[in-house]
Each structure stands twice: as structure tokens, then as C-alpha cells.
Amino acid sequence: MNNELKLRIMSAIVMVAVTLFSVWIGGAVFAILVIIAGLLIFYEWSTIIKTEPSLTFLGWATLVISFVLLFLDFVPHALIALIIGAVVTAFMGYRQKSDVWVAGGILYAGLPVIAFAELRGEGIMGLFAITFIFVVVWATDIFAYFCGKSMGGPKLAPSISPGKTWSGAIFGLAAGVGAGLFTVLMLREGGGIYLPIIAILLSLSSQIGDLFESWIKRRFNVKDSSQLIPGHGGVMDRLDGVVFAAVTAFVIAMFAQYYGGSQSSDVIAMHLLGL
């Protein structure tokens, strides 16, 4: 085993251990972890796009304000601050004849942080919901990679990510849905008739997130989003699928919660799991 592989394995063990511990504890501990991840994602995003410093500063200010509100449990205010900041930044970029990439980075870094923190909360159902999301994304990613490599076949999106195949995408989808359903049944009896549809949407969104990050890197001609994680590249490289899946899960849960009439994070998580 060469040194690079050892470093990659050690980094993965540390990341998984920290993630699982924070997911188990929930509350402020998990919120702090996802906030740090969101800030690192925006750092990598701003490094990749190399835009005007004034726009980058607006992005940082928006995220800090939004995350402080989130940590203080003002979730609607955090979401509103994030959206307003992104709109203002996009308008400023347009006025300066620059670009709107920073505004995109604000949403890309901020929305999954709000989604994860609100879904997890402090109750046991939040733990189940986050576990469900991670299992679907990880199973999708692992099986898409290995099945795609071993089976080959037509390329999924050769202009964006030449290594991805339709066989990998299909088997990744099947694995993600199967693993997600199995996890929910192991954690809690039941799951609702909509759970397979939710698992499909999360698996598909994670693959779309993977393709989106590949497109961003190809658009700006970079191999990795950064070198922050030894042996793995950047935070964006590791969380590309999770980012999209988290936002998708949050939208699904909030849509279902709208008809339930409760603001409890545990109830929102239950809506995601169809319980």
C-alpha cells in the first residue's frame, strides 16, 4: 500500500468518524459541522471562479449573517437573508459587468447547511432522516462508480464527466433506493408509500449534484476544488452529491410539512421519511 493510498484511507476514516459523531449528537454540534462545511465550500467556490473581491466579500457577509441566524434557531430569517444576499450579489455582479457566479456560490454553500441543520434538529427522527440521506447518497455514489467501471457502456455525459456511464447511473440509482429503504425499515417499522419515490429523488439529485460539480470544474479548468482534504481533494469534491440531495430532501420535507401544520424539526424529518 503506497503512501498516497494510506493518506486517503486515514483521511476518510477521520471524516466518517467526525461526521457520524456529529450526526449522532445533533443540535449545535451538527449545526457547527455543517456551517464549517458550508464556509469551506464557499471558500473553494470563490477560489475556483476568481471573481471581483467586492462580490466575494458580499458572499462571505451573506453566509456569516445567515449562519448566525441559523445557529440562533431563526431558520426562516436565515433562509431569507441567504436569498436576499444572493439576489443583491447577482445584481451587483450584473451592474459591474462581472458575473453572477458568486451569487450561485452563496446558494450552493448556504442552502444545504440550512437544510441539514433543520432536518437534523435534536430529536431521534432527525437522526433517522440524516442517516437515510447519507445512506442513499453513499450507496448511489459507490455503486455508480464501481458498476460503471466494471460494466462500461454508453457515457452518461461525456462532455461534462467522461468517466460516468449509464450503467453506473442506473445501478447507482437502484443501490441508493434499495439501501435507503432497507435503512428505514431497520431504523423504524413502516416508512410510507412515498418513501421509494423520495429515495429515487434523492439518488437522482445526488447524481445531478455530482455532474454539476464536474461541470463547474470543467468550466473553470480545475481538477480538484482544492487540496483541503489530504488524498481526496476539496470539500466540494466530497460533498457534491450530498449538497443537492440535502436541498432536495429539505424541499420534500417542507412541502409535506406544509400540509401537516407543524414547525417541529422532528415532524419535518418524519415527513421526509413518510412516517
Side-chain angles (χ1 to χ4, degrees), residues 20-33:
L20 293 180
F21 174 77
S22 65
V23 171
W24 175 264
I25 298 299
V29 173
F30 184 70
I32 290 173
L33 179 70

Side-chain angles (χ1 to χ4, degrees), residues 37 81 133 169 203 225-226 255:
I133 295 170
S203 181
S225 58
S226 75
F255 179 79

